[in-house]
Amino acid sequence: MTNSVIFLATAAFVVSSYILIFFNKKRRENILHLKGNRENNTLEKHEQYDDTNHNFSEICEEHGYRHEKHLVHTDDSYILRLDRVLPASQTVVKGVVFMMHDIEDSSIEWVINSEPLAPAFILSRAGFDVWLGNNRGNDFSLGHENLTIQDEAYWDFDWEEMGIYDIPAFVNYILQATNKDIIDAYIGHSEGTTQFFAGASLLPEYYAAHIGLFVALAPVVRLDHSTNKAMVYFARKGVLRVSTKLIQTLGLYDLMSSSHTSKWILGKFCGALPRLCQFINQGFVDWSGEVDNLDREADKMAHDPAGSGWRNLIHYGQIIRAKRFQRFDYGEEENQRRYGGSSTPPMYDLTQIQNSIAVYHGDLDALSDPTDVAWLLNESGLPHSRIIHQEMVHAGHNTFSMGKNMTFLSESVIPLIEKIRNNRTIIS
């Protein structure tokens, strides 16, 4: 394939990725929603409600949950939003939980499922003080002390920076606000796990001292066996190279932005190439009627994609190509400057991680494939003594926040958090 053909194909791919915001928000039809049973976290039919146009605060308030918004400054000058859902009971507080969303998402991921099934609400009802982060570059965290989102330098980050700057900034703020010494559990989904693995491998002492349990939902480290069509296509050598150049040339640093301009452009593009639009939608979005609450799909997709820096996707493409969980590849010359003379990006050393870890992954997950999760558990170097629980759930990638059955939280995750909190020792 010639370079010109690759360039045109990749241009279509990158631009069409932006149609997600238009394509998905067209699905805002009024439908019969399902509300879950609070006792067993399962579904039962109830009255209609529509959150396609509701913000985080409105979603919490319509269900009677107390909430707060906070702004957090990182050591490298980014300004991030941190949301809080306080315990449903004002007298009993079981502990502090911090949750991080997946790529192109926001804190809304944890509250947008049917109310009895939404993870943040489940934890709140169980008596936890729940804090929900928003990574730099998403719609809620576009602030910076010196730069604007029009500056290329603003977007010079990926999930490694989220691991070494964003998570510590959030954690420090939460600990100060709650007057605690340690967060009882960090719960990450997809990219939220990637940034933890990166950060905890580079800053192991900090993570071990300030976070009790790491709950990894649909962990993403290696993607060798991923069947996600969009990610596999994006990782092709020519596509990855040309995509990087195209993004930089056109200034498309905010991948799949939710701006009105982007929606207008993508609407036109989608009208001209509907099949490609459908491919991109199916490629990035993993919904299964068997396990996911499809009656909340329109509500969820009305808030997605929520924006993300371009290097996040490029970095994932690089680890697919390299078949190793490695740091960002800047090219040989820049790698040598950044990585102590090495022309090849070093791998993240997972042997350094000192946190207790609970891993939950899905048998239907097209992105976090069970084979890649098995590599993480058995071959990555992650200390076996740190893995206190591993469980395969009948789930796809989205199910961990949008499932029809969320009993894994009440029956497994919450008891583990309580156990670690009560023991307050790292199992070794």
Side-chain angles (χ1 to χ4, degrees), residues 99-120:
M99 310 180 79
M100 282 304 305
H101 57 80
D102 63 355
I103 194 170
E104 291 293 344
D105 218 323
S106 70
S107 55
I108 288 180
E109 172 184 8
W110 304 112
V111 299
I112 197 63
N113 201 347
S114 296
E115 181 264 341
L117 304 179

Side-chain angles (χ1 to χ4, degrees), residues 29-43:
E29 67 275 12
N30 290 323
I31 58 177
L32 176 65
H33 293 292
L34 301 179
K35 185 172 183 178
N37 185 316
R38 285 187 171 188
E39 298 301 319
N40 58 20
N41 299 331
T42 58
L43 288 172

Side-chain angles (χ1 to χ4, degrees), residues 159-160 198 201-202 315 318-319 322 324-332 334-350:
W159 32 259
E160 178 174 310
S201 69
L202 296 170
H315 201 166
Q318 289 178 354
I319 65 174
R324 56 202 300 265
F325 187 44
Q326 65 179 27
R327 301 180 71 177
F328 194 84
D329 189 348
Y330 295 91
E332 290 189 5
E334 183 64 13
N335 287 343
Q336 290 174 353
R337 188 182 73 82
R338 289 176 179 255
Y339 302 134
S342 173
S343 60
T344 302
M347 293 180 65
Y348 292 104
D349 185 2
L350 301 186

Side-chain angles (χ1 to χ4, degrees), residues 80-137:
L80 315 176
R81 189 173 114 181
L82 178 63
D83 291 308
R84 184 185 193 182
V85 179
L86 288 95
S89 169
Q90 298 187 37
T91 57
V92 179
V93 180
K94 289 187 177 179
V96 178
V97 174
F98 173 40
M99 310 180 79
M100 282 304 305
H101 57 80
D102 63 355
I103 194 170
E104 291 293 344
D105 218 323
S106 70
S107 55
I108 288 180
E109 172 184 8
W110 304 112
V111 299
I112 197 63
N113 201 347
S114 296
E115 181 264 341
L117 304 179
F121 294 154
I122 291 174
L123 288 160
S124 173
R125 292 195 302 273
F128 289 95
D129 186 358
V130 185
W131 296 76
L132 313 171
N134 287 280
N135 278 321
R136 61 182 66 191

Side-chain angles (χ1 to χ4, degrees), residues 143-340:
H144 195 281
E145 295 171 8
N146 307 304
L147 302 171
T148 73
I149 58 174
Q150 282 72 47
D151 296 315
E152 181 180 358
Y154 174 91
W155 299 101
D156 187 21
F157 64 81
D158 59 62
W159 32 259
E160 178 174 310
E161 283 73 24
M162 295 173 185
I164 61 178
Y165 292 114
D166 292 8
I167 291 179
F170 284 134
V171 168
N172 290 341
Y173 187 96
I174 294 168
L175 293 178
Q176 182 175 10
T178 57
N179 196 29
K180 301 291 184 182
D181 296 322
I182 191 168
I183 287 177
D184 295 291
Y186 171 102
I187 301 177
H189 178 215
S190 190
E191 184 185 64
T193 70
T194 311
Q195 67 192 85
F196 188 101
F197 282 117
S201 69
L202 296 170
L203 302 172
E205 291 80 13
Y206 175 87
Y207 273 71
H210 296 92
I211 298 173
L213 174 66
F214 170 30
V215 179
L217 307 179
V220 176
V221 175
R222 285 273 288 268
L223 291 165
D224 300 14
H225 299 87
S226 173
T227 56
N228 181 284
K229 295 178 181 178
M231 287 298 295
V232 171
Y233 174 80
F234 194 78
R236 294 171 59 185
K237 184 176 182 180
V239 174
L240 189 60
R241 183 183 66 252
V242 175
S243 294
T244 302
K245 184 64 176 178
L246 182 66
I247 289 170
Q248 293 174 319
T249 300
L250 299 180
L252 302 176
Y253 305 115
D254 185 1
L255 288 180
M256 291 174 272
S257 165
S258 61
S259 70
H260 293 293
T261 301
S262 296
K263 285 189 286 185
W264 182 83
I265 294 173
L266 297 176
K268 297 296 184 182
F269 191 87
C270 191
L273 296 171
R275 289 198 176 192
L276 187 55
C277 290
Q278 185 177 16
F279 166 77
I280 295 299
N281 182 62
Q282 293 174 341
F284 280 114
V285 183
D286 174 13
W287 288 89
S288 169
E290 181 181 356
V291 293
D292 295 325
N293 187 3
L294 296 186
D295 288 287
R296 295 294 289 173
E297 182 182 13
D299 302 86
K300 176 69 164 66
M301 303 314 293
H303 297 279
D304 289 345
S308 179
W310 67 282
R311 269 182 44 192
N312 291 317
L313 189 57
I314 295 294
H315 201 166
Y316 278 127
Q318 289 178 354
I319 65 174
I320 293 175
R321 286 288 306 168
K323 297 185 183 298
R324 56 202 300 265
F325 187 44
Q326 65 179 27
R327 301 180 71 177
F328 194 84
D329 189 348
Y330 295 91
E332 290 189 5
E333 183 176 343
E334 183 64 13
N335 287 343
Q336 290 174 353
R337 188 182 73 82
R338 289 176 179 255
Y339 302 134

